[in-house]
Amino acid sequence: MSSGSSDSKKLGEQELRIAANQFSNELKAVASKIGELELQLDEHNLVIKTMSPMAEDRKCFRLINGVLVERTVKEVLPALKTNQAGIASTIEQLTVQYKAKDKEFSDFRTKHHIRIASST
């Protein structure tokens, strides 16, 4: 009988370890996406800064779904600014989601007395 209770405790520990790994993986995925979007936002900012002083009728090229199309600054700049705002909004939403998930993970660790061992 004592081995039966030991097995259930080990299973509980294993389930806790799996749940902790899932939390950790989800946090890493969200952080990675935030980093990726921040790079895109930086690129948009650079292109907008470069194109803003240009004449509106100046020719420019834009890559859309792998196809390079010719447009004017007047056509491209508003689309870039819209995309920039959308990316910034998405980053804010993901940051809120990350903080909520991090708090949930912290509460989970506290509730189950889990300490994360450092890999170094």
Side-chain angles (χ1 to χ4, degrees):
M1 277 198 133
S2 65
S3 67
S5 65
S6 175
D7 288 343
S8 67
K9 185 176 180 186
K10 284 184 181 180
L11 182 62
E13 288 176 9
Q14 185 177 13
E15 289 172 350
L16 289 175
R17 188 173 292 122
I18 290 170
N21 285 338
Q22 281 181 318
F23 272 117
S24 180
N25 289 339
E26 289 174 14
L27 286 171
K28 287 177 186 175
V30 173
S32 173
K33 189 63 179 175
I34 289 171
E36 178 184 322
L37 288 173
E38 285 176 341
L39 288 174
Q40 285 185 12
L41 186 62
D42 288 344
E43 289 177 7
H44 275 70
N45 289 335
L46 180 62
V47 172
I48 289 169
K49 180 181 175 185
T50 303
M51 290 180 71
S52 291
M54 294 180 180
E56 289 186 341
D57 60 343
R58 183 171 174 170
K59 184 180 4 176
C60 66
F61 295 90
R62 182 173 181 202
L63 191 64
I64 302 175
N65 295 328
V67 178
L68 195 60
V69 293
E70 183 178 331
R71 298 278 188 251
T72 63
V73 170
K74 183 179 180 178
E75 296 170 321
V76 172
L77 203 52
L80 283 173
K81 289 180 180 178
T82 301
N83 288 350
Q84 177 191 35
I87 292 170
S89 172
T90 302
I91 289 172
E92 288 176 22
Q93 292 171 358
L94 286 174
T95 302
V96 169
Q97 180 182 342
Y98 181 88
K99 288 178 181 177
K101 183 60 81 173
D102 190 40
K103 179 169 178 11
E104 185 180 346
F105 186 32
S106 179
D107 293 345
F108 176 81
R109 289 190 320 236
T110 302
K111 177 181 177 184
H112 296 287
H113 307 291
I114 297 173
R115 288 182 305 177
I116 304 299
S118 74
S119 59
T120 57

